[in-house]
Every structure is written in structure tokens, then in C-alpha cells.
Amino acid sequence: MIQKLIQSARQSQMTRRGVLAGVGASAAALALAACSTGGASSKPTAAKDQSSTDKTMTWANWQAYLDQDQAGNYPTLQAFEKKSGITVKYDVAVDDNNTYYAKVKDQLALGKDIGADTVCLTDWMVARLIRFGYVQSFDAASIPNKKNLTPALQDADFDPGRKKSLPWQSGFAGICWNKSKVPGGLKSIDDLWKSELKGKVGVLSEMRDTMGLLLLQQGVDISKKFSDDDYNKAIDKLTKEVNDGQIRNIKGNSYLNDLKSGDTLAAICWSGDITQLNAEAGDNWEFALPDSGGTLWSDNFVIPIGSPRKANAEELINYYYEPEVAAEVAAWVNYITPVVGAKEAAVKIDPDLADNQLIFPDDTTLANAHIFRSLTPAEEQKYQAAFQKVILGA
């Protein structure tokens, strides 16, 4: 069951985040324009690798997505730097797939350096980058630990044989709440619409997660073909809750700040983020998959076409596919690791980790996780446009 679900996940267009809310209309329009399914008529040429003389690199990633100590250091990354002699700038530059793409797409189209030698983005966005020729092919000999990739993820439909992408982490979208302020907890998406939470609810700017959960609540199987009417009914519900003032914010990764400040007391959220929030700001929040189900997604390493430090990036990717390193990361970020052997290594860190359903989910947990089906280019533009219209009105 686990292997079947994860395999389905890498065959679907999934994402953790969508268009960033709280921006002006022009910036939001830019993000929506980034969703265009068209590509350049000719694909750019990969940059010449300078790794032999330049022992530096930049890794662009999401917030709260790498093990970190109380001093703000990244222990596994520091160990890599010491082991490899490569100095790594870890850049928390990705708040949202679409807005990140909007910032770098022009450079990518020209084959220019975007300031990142590897970046972790979601399956559907990685599929776009590969289709447009915006990422470099891996040197298989430089990533021997690729053999540790879980079998279910070894042959993605957007990247057969995983020649240009490798999974970083997978996870769930569900619901969370402030335990002291919402003592009864939440069980369903409909619980977010309770009167006592008016103006204190946040939802994700990721269309597939927020709309996926609303569709599931309405009894729609998001892993199969659903109609425009199904989607529009869920959009109508989201619009109503925004217009009624029930929903305070629609945001990307910055939704965590609203939970910290108390601006929101409940939200549609990502699984591992809540563990990190509890670690940073006190054990005040709880995460759950709603009774109607949550969504399942994956993010992946890629090397942008203009990176002149490809070999350095490959050495870093290879390092993070060591089971012991993957286990250390998983124990901190609490997302599903794609590395075979990480579970056994994690047990040595803390035996309780083996039972953590956010890292090593069993069949029962995965049975309540659903994969948003692949969208046609026309559907993606249409559905994202409808979602974006709600964001602009929020």
C-alpha cells in the first residue's frame, strides 16, 4: 500500500505551495503568468562546470526543511562541508513554487545562473522545468547513493530513470490548531468554519492542497477525474469563507508566522512544519489529517541549467542519500524520507521515530492521504486562475 501510494504520487502533479498571498495585484499577476504551460522554442545550453576550481555552492530550499540547532546552524550541512571541503550557502529562498519560478524563469530560459546550484521544488514544477530544458542531467557516477532511493520513486513519469531529479522529502497537507486556544481540537475541514474561529483561520496558497482538502470534504475523489462543477463548488465555498471574514490569510510558507503571532488559531498546513513550529515556539500546536482525508506531495532536488557548480551539487545530493544522514534530517523535519535504510538508522537516534506516522507512515495513515490528480495544461490554467481570483479578494 505504501509503495503504491508513493508511486502514484510521483505520477501526479502535486505541489506544496501555490501563489503567494498578501502581495499586490501586479506581483500576484506575475505569479499567475508563471503558470503558463508554454516553453521556449529552443532549450538553453548547460553551463560549463567549474566545480574543480570553485569549491562553493548555493542550495535553495523551503523554510524549516533542514535539521537546525539552537544556534541556527545546520548540523548535517556543516558535516558535509567538513567532509567535502565545499562551502555551502543554504538559502531559504522558496516560499512558493510559482513565485520562485516567476523570479528565475527568465534567467532559466537564457541558460543563466539563477544563484542556486540546486533547488528543491515540487513534482509538477520539476516536470515543467524538465520539459522546458531548464535543468541539467545528473552524472550517475557522481551520485552512487541513488541506489538508496525507495523503489516506488525510482522511475517518475516526468523523469524516467531519475536522470534529472531526485526526491528530497514527501509529506502531507492537513489541518492544525492552537491547542490552548482550540481545546476541543479539529477533526474536519468544516470545523475550520466554526463561529469561534472567525477571522482566525489560515489556508495555504497552494491550489492543490487547499482546494484538494475542500474537494475531499465535499466527497470528491481528487485522485480521479472530477468535473469543473465539482471544482467550482469548492471554489464557491472558499470564496464564501473569505468574503464572510472566516479566513484571515491565504499564504505560502509564511503562514507559520501567523500561527506564531496568534493571528491565526487554525489552518490548512503542512505536516512537518507543525513539528518544527512546536520545537521553535513551544508545544502549542497539533496536526492531523482531516476525517475526509489529506493530500500527499513530494519535493525534489534539481540542478538548474545555468549552474556552474554541478559536480558540487551532485556531491551534496549524494551525501543526503546516505541513510544515516537522511535519518538525521527526517528526525528534525518530520517529513517522509525517500531513502531506504533511513528508518533503521532513525531508530538508533530515537526508537520512537519508527512509529512517527509523519516520517514513516503505515498503510492506515496512507489510506487517508490522497494525491491530487494530474491536470491538463488547460485545467491547470483555469483552476489556478479561479483560485487566484479568490486570493486577490482575500
Side-chain angles (χ1 to χ4, degrees), residues 197-223:
L197 290 176
K198 185 170 183 177
K200 292 292 185 179
V201 175
V203 301
L204 296 171
S205 62
E206 165 47 44
M207 180 267 286
R208 288 166 178 81
D209 286 334
T210 289
M211 296 307 299
L213 266 61
L214 266 63
L215 285 161
L216 287 167
Q217 181 64 34
Q218 295 180 352
V220 176
D221 185 347
I222 62 173
S223 67

Side-chain angles (χ1 to χ4, degrees), residues 236-253:
D236 289 344
K237 178 61 176 176
L238 180 65
T239 302
K240 178 183 184 301
E241 300 305 335
V242 168
N243 291 343
D244 288 351
Q246 187 74 18
I247 293 174
R248 182 184 183 94
N249 291 317
I250 305 177
K251 290 188 175 182
N253 219 182

Side-chain angles (χ1 to χ4, degrees), residues 14-42:
M14 301 179 302
T15 176
R16 292 179 64 196
R17 289 107 173 161
V19 180
L20 179 65
V23 295
S26 60
L30 175 62
L32 185 58
C35 297
S36 171
T37 55
S41 57
S42 60

Side-chain angles (χ1 to χ4, degrees), residues 355-371:
D355 298 321
N356 188 323
Q357 293 301 298
L358 301 183
I359 307 175
F360 306 110
D362 59 22
D363 288 351
T364 300
T365 298
L366 285 173
N368 201 32
H370 305 270
I371 300 146

Side-chain angles (χ1 to χ4, degrees), residues 114-125:
I114 66 169
D117 301 294
T118 189
V119 59
C120 295
L121 297 171
T122 313
D123 281 346
W124 68 271
M125 180 59 75

